Amino acid sequence: MSGVGFLEDWDLSYDEINELLTDNPSLRSFVMGYAAEIKCRHMYFHDHPGISAVYKPDDHDRTEKGDLIVTYLGHPIAVEVKSIQTASMAPRRRSGRVEPFYQCDASDRRTVVFRDGSSVETTALLVGEFDVVAVNIHAFTGQWDFVFARNEELPTMAGATRGAARHYTRYQQRNLIKTNIGIDLDPGPPYVRDPFVLFDRIVKERARGEGPAQQGVVAEEAAADGETVQQALDFGL
């Protein structure tokens, strides 16, 4: 199939593709997620003088963080690309308000081991596990647009009283990012429109030996990288 695209190989018309996506909401959501990664890369990280490389880690490689790895001024920066949940754009029944949110979590449950020796099985991402989130807000305007925030400025599970997080210790809650994050229709801080404002801060902090201290490690990722959990905690964080 060299030189032939999938659409040509499958012989799908525009109407058939539209029907495929319209009739299958779960597929539409899945495709939107990957489309957002492509759009984010092309809109912000293509042909920028400070960027020497951009690549997407293999979805099955648990040793690399982020949907995109952007090498900016010689520093690899892990970017997680997330999208507003379509269902959250519907007005609430009682209040009539629209309260959009996006999911900020891993695709699978995994065991997270913390520095205090405790562990939980969760889909939640760790504080410090990636660098920047790029939130696709196409659902707001019908156009491709993104806002960006640093990992350590996102809300954590601290104070959670519902769901599995209510059983986590205070230390665990403080070091796990909320899986559903609400966002205003006109996003303000900690979100910015220009990702390079955040990238520059990250590079400067790294030059000073600063940055968020990750307080845990994903056990499966440490094992995949040939480390024990303790080695990862001691040397990799």
Side-chain angles (χ1 to χ4, degrees):
M1 199 179 71
S2 177
V4 178
F6 281 108
L7 297 185
E8 290 85 355
D9 182 56
W10 293 348
D11 191 24
L12 289 173
S13 68
Y14 171 87
D15 287 339
E16 288 171 328
I17 294 170
N18 191 57
E19 180 181 348
L20 182 69
L21 295 174
T22 301
D23 293 349
N24 298 280
S26 59
L27 175 63
R28 186 166 64 246
S29 175
F30 194 71
V31 172
M32 169 61 87
Y34 283 111
E37 292 178 14
I38 293 172
K39 284 292 187 179
C40 184
R41 184 172 74 246
H42 290 175
M43 290 172 65
Y44 297 92
F45 308 135
H46 178 70
D47 201 26
H48 187 282
I51 292 178
S52 57
V54 182
Y55 71 94
K56 173 181 171 60
D58 188 310
D59 287 340
H60 300 291
D61 185 351
R62 296 191 173 189
T63 65
E64 289 196 279
K65 317 290 187 180
D67 295 314
L68 299 172
I69 307 298
V70 181
T71 303
Y72 177 67
L73 301 180
H75 292 261
I77 296 176
V79 179
E80 282 280 337
V81 182
K82 303 298 183 183
S83 297
I84 302 300
Q85 294 293 295
T86 303
S88 72
M89 295 302 296
R92 296 277 184 172
R93 288 184 180 179
R94 293 183 178 180
S95 66
R97 294 181 300 181
V98 174
E99 299 178 4
F101 67 86
Y102 62 95
Q103 279 187 263
C104 191
D105 58 3
S107 56
D108 301 309
R109 294 180 68 83
R110 66 265 175 86
T111 301
V112 174
V113 182
F114 294 91
R115 283 191 178 276
D116 66 356
S118 64
S119 65
V120 297
E121 286 193 8
T122 181
T123 61
L125 296 167
L126 282 156
V127 173
E129 188 171 351
F130 59 93
D131 297 303
V132 171
V133 65
V135 184
N136 162 33
I137 57 173
H138 184 280
F140 290 176
T141 63
Q143 298 179 341
W144 287 105
D145 197 4
F146 293 81
V147 292
F148 303 85
R150 295 189 61 174
N151 169 289
E152 62 267 32
E153 294 180 338
L154 296 174
T156 68
M157 292 184 173
T161 58
R162 300 174 62 185
R166 73 183 185 278
H167 300 300
Y168 298 167
T169 66
R170 291 182 182 179
Y171 178 79
Q172 292 167 349
Q173 289 180 347
R174 288 198 308 269
N175 287 287
L176 290 171
I177 294 171
K178 288 183 67 174
T179 53
N180 289 335
I181 299 179
I183 185 170
D184 292 337
L185 291 170
D186 183 18
Y191 301 97
V192 299
R193 297 280 179 167
D194 181 359
F196 296 100
V197 171
L198 306 182
F199 286 13
D200 285 333
R201 291 178 192 164
I202 291 170
V203 169
K204 288 178 181 177
E205 288 177 5
R206 289 181 182 175
R208 297 194 299 264
E210 301 174 355
Q214 190 174 323
Q215 298 297 312
V217 64
V218 178
E220 293 91 337
E221 291 173 357
D225 204 30
E227 295 178 318
T228 66
V229 169
Q230 191 57 53
Q231 283 175 326
L233 289 169
D234 290 341
F235 304 111
L237 302 181

